[in-house]
């Protein structure tokens, strides 16, 4: 699982399929983090993909913006791959937070 191009291995990237809407979304940070998590789990199990169904733990993901539909789909796919994990997602609205900080800076 260290190299996604190794013959005979399940490609970790393919376990979390992005949704293509107008632009490629496979490189979004949220999906990349989830792929890295899956890769780490599989590496710790020496490539035994049966470990996915029994893996437990707590995953927290924070994004400074609302998640796109592709990233939401990646979260659902992660939960399907790792059904026994607890998954918590937090989102902020970076645009309004930025405007708020900008307004505060002008008052100073």
């Amino acid at each position: 699982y260290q190299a996604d191009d190794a013959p005979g291995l399940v490609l970790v990237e393919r376990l979390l399929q992005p949704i293509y809407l107008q632009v490629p979304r496979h490189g979004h940070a949220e999906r990349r983090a989830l792929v890295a998590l899956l890769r780490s789990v599989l590496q710790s199990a020496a490539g035994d993909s049966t470990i996915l169904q029994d893996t437990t733990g707590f995953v927290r993901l924070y994004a400074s913006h609302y998640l796109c539909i592709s990233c939401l789909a990646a979260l659902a796919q992660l939960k399907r791959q790792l059904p026994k994990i607890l998954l918590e997602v937090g989102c902020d609205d970076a645009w309004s937070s930025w405007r708020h900080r900008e307004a505060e800076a002008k008052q100073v």
Side-chain angles (χ1 to χ4, degrees):
Y1 287 95
Q2 292 193 11
D4 278 343
D5 59 354
L9 294 180
V10 174
L11 301 180
V12 177
E13 290 277 337
R14 292 186 183 171
L15 294 175
L16 301 179
Q17 291 289 314
I19 297 174
Y20 184 88
L21 298 169
Q22 289 91 24
V23 296
R25 297 171 188 260
H26 64 280
H28 283 194
E30 298 85 355
R31 181 179 172 274
R32 301 295 330 140
L34 300 177
V35 168
L37 172 67
L38 272 178
R39 185 173 284 119
S40 178
V41 169
L42 289 166
Q43 285 173 344
S44 71
D48 179 10
S49 62
T50 61
I51 193 73
L52 296 177
Q53 296 298 311
D54 295 322
T55 298
T56 61
F58 190 77
V59 176
R60 284 186 173 165
L61 178 73
Y62 170 77
S64 62
H65 53 274
Y66 299 113
L67 299 179
C68 72
I69 190 68
S70 187
C71 292
L72 289 171
L75 286 166
Q77 293 171 64
L78 177 76
K79 188 63 177 162
R80 185 182 64 217
Q81 295 294 332
L82 302 170
K84 294 183 179 177
I85 65 165
L86 296 173
L87 182 60
E88 183 177 287
V89 180
C91 300
D92 195 359
D93 182 359
W95 297 115
S96 66
S97 296
W98 177 260
R99 286 191 305 264
H100 181 70
R101 283 189 301 247
E102 190 176 72
E104 285 178 350
K106 288 180 182 178
Q107 292 175 359
V108 174

